[in-house]
């Protein structure tokens, strides 16, 4: 469900968590005073239905909102039928188990242009997401697929592409990764540019676009072809104070998931910054 405020949390289990399970991560999020956590299924979905129900119970008890990051090994623009089918299966499994955990938002890296045109790539990815969201509706899986804005120029996932998919397909909403947008072109890093990004979200998706946001934030090292690696916020050039100010001004609601190497430290810093404005 959309949050009535902006929630801050971590991509995966906080570094200071006593254990390595999702449940110990959820408990640590609550101890830290954070609000949400993204379950990282990035190397594959290694949780069964029983484990998912235990995660749901822990998240409800601790009042921690969950989302899921689907496996990395996905290309919805693959020319090979076998690879495309495997990609669809991975997203489906992430959504099925994620929804049993109480996670509605399923973040995914949609694919690569390869030798296709941008238009053809968009059509292939749109067709695949339509197929998946239709299947979810048939099976009663309450999942929202969130293609992510991507940080390398070879990857499908400009802001415009992600917003167009979200406007076109029921059951698709964006995951806006601000460090990826910045790394892709070396821009998107000022108050005016953050304002433009959020204005585009509102233009494409209306008020719901701003009231049901899912965002990734981290510092980033980048070069001529885009993203290289994530960095702690204070070691990067990401203009996070202006980003938080813009989110507050637009009354954005939803989740800010920190992907920096110092997960909870940066999450707590941004949460404090947001509260102080």
């Amino acid at each position: 469900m959309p949050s009535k405020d902006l929630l801050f949390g971590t991509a995966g289990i906080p570094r200071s968590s006593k254990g390595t399970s999702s449940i110990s991560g959820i408990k640590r999020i609550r101890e830290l005073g954070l609000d949400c956590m993204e379950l990282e299924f990035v190397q594959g979905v290694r949780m069964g239905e029983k484990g998912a129900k235990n995660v749901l119970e822990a998240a409800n008890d601790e009042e921690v909102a969950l989302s899921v990051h689907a496996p990395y090994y996905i290309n919805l623009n693959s020319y090979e039928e076998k690879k495309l089918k495997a990609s669809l299966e991975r997203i489906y499994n992430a959504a099925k188990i994620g929804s049993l955990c109480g996670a509605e938002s399923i973040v995914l890296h949609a694919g690569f242009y390869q030798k296709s045109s941008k238009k053809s790539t968009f059509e292939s990815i749109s067709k695949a997401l339509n197929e998946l969201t239709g299947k979810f509706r048939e099976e009663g899986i309450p999942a929202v697929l969130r293609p992510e804005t991507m940080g390398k120029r070879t990857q499908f996932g400009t802001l415009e592409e992600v917003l167009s998919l979200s406007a076109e397909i029921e059951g698709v909403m964006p995951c806006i990764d601000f460090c990826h947008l910045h790394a892709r072109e070396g821009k998107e890093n000022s108050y005016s540019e953050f304002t433009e990004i959020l204005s585009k979200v509102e233009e494409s998706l209306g008020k719901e676009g701003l009231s049901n946001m899912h965002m990734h934030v981290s510092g980033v090292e980048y070069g001529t072809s885009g993203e290289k690696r994530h960095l702690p916020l204070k070691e990067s050039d990401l203009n996070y104070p202006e980003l938080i100010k813009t989110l507050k001004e637009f009354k954005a609601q939803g989740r800010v998931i920190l992907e920096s190497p110092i997960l909870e430290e940066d999450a707590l810093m941004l949460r404090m910054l947001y509260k102080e404005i």
Side-chain angles (χ1 to χ4, degrees):
M1 292 295 291
S3 155
K4 289 193 167 57
D5 202 351
L6 206 50
L7 306 181
F8 290 83
T10 60
I13 296 155
R15 299 282 188 261
S16 58
S17 178
K18 291 188 182 75
T20 55
S21 72
S22 297
I23 290 172
S24 62
I26 289 164
K27 288 179 176 171
R28 184 64 184 141
I29 288 282
R30 178 46 54 226
E31 287 167 4
L32 288 162
L34 290 168
D35 319 293
C36 54
M37 188 176 92
E38 196 156 272
L39 299 167
E40 299 297 289
F41 292 167
V42 294
Q43 305 301 332
V45 182
R46 293 173 184 158
M47 187 186 288
E49 292 190 9
K50 189 183 174 192
K53 283 170 184 165
N54 292 337
V55 168
L56 172 66
E57 194 178 318
N60 286 341
D61 287 349
E62 302 294 346
E63 296 183 354
V64 170
L66 298 179
S67 54
V68 158
H69 198 307
Y72 285 144
Y73 311 108
I74 285 167
N75 185 8
L76 298 177
N77 187 43
S78 179
Y79 307 138
E80 296 175 49
E81 190 61 37
K82 190 179 172 186
K83 285 187 179 173
L84 177 59
K85 197 177 172 187
S87 292
L88 290 167
E89 192 69 22
R90 288 183 182 120
I91 298 169
Y92 173 81
N93 287 336
K96 187 179 177 184
I97 294 298
S99 67
L100 291 174
C101 294
E104 187 181 79
S105 290
I106 314 298
V107 176
L108 60 111
H109 297 175
F112 295 84
Y113 300 116
Q114 299 177 112
K115 291 175 183 172
S116 306
S117 69
K118 290 197 169 185
K119 184 174 184 285
S120 166
T121 305
F122 184 92
E123 285 166 1
S124 298
I125 289 172
S126 174
K127 184 184 173 193
L129 294 179
N130 262 307
E131 187 182 317
L132 279 163
T133 53
K135 194 174 180 184
F136 295 160
R137 282 193 291 277
E138 280 170 26
E139 297 185 18
I141 296 172
V144 174
L145 294 178
R146 289 191 180 262
E148 186 175 340
T149 56
M150 298 306 297
K152 292 192 176 82
R153 294 178 192 177
T154 54
Q155 296 169 301
F156 174 91
T158 64
L159 179 66
E160 288 69 26
E161 285 167 340
V162 166
L163 290 178
S164 294
L165 284 174
S166 303
E168 185 183 285
I169 307 168
E170 186 190 345
V172 172
M173 289 289 279
C175 171
I176 297 178
D177 188 313
F178 285 96
C179 86
H180 284 167
L181 288 176
H182 175 40
R184 195 173 180 111
E185 302 292 342
K187 301 174 188 170
E188 315 295 6
N189 197 32
S190 65
Y191 175 75
S192 62
E193 287 165 317
F194 296 140
T195 296
E196 193 178 339
I197 290 166
L198 293 181
S199 297
K200 283 180 181 174
V201 171
E202 187 170 15
E203 281 163 28
S204 297
L205 306 174
K207 288 291 180 195
E208 195 202 348
L210 294 176
S211 67
N212 187 9
M213 293 193 76
H214 195 91
M215 296 164 273
H216 285 173
V217 178
S218 171
V220 65
E221 182 186 328
Y222 54 93
T224 50
S225 59
E227 177 194 21
K228 289 184 176 178
R229 66 188 178 109
H230 286 180
L231 297 171
L233 286 171
K234 285 181 177 172
E235 289 175 30
S236 77
D237 69 349
L238 189 78
N239 194 349
Y240 59 88
E242 293 294 295
L243 171 59
I244 294 297
K245 181 184 168 189
T246 314
L247 291 172
K248 190 101 177 190
E249 283 185 3
F250 271 78
K251 298 185 171 69
Q253 297 169 353
R255 300 173 195 187
V256 178
I257 300 291
L258 269 292
E259 292 191 315
S260 99
I262 53 169
L263 291 170
E264 58 265 48
E265 286 177 48
D266 275 349
L268 287 164
M269 179 180 75
L270 286 196
R271 190 176 189 272
M272 191 177 291
L273 197 59
Y274 178 76
K275 299 287 181 194
E276 285 170 355
I277 293 172

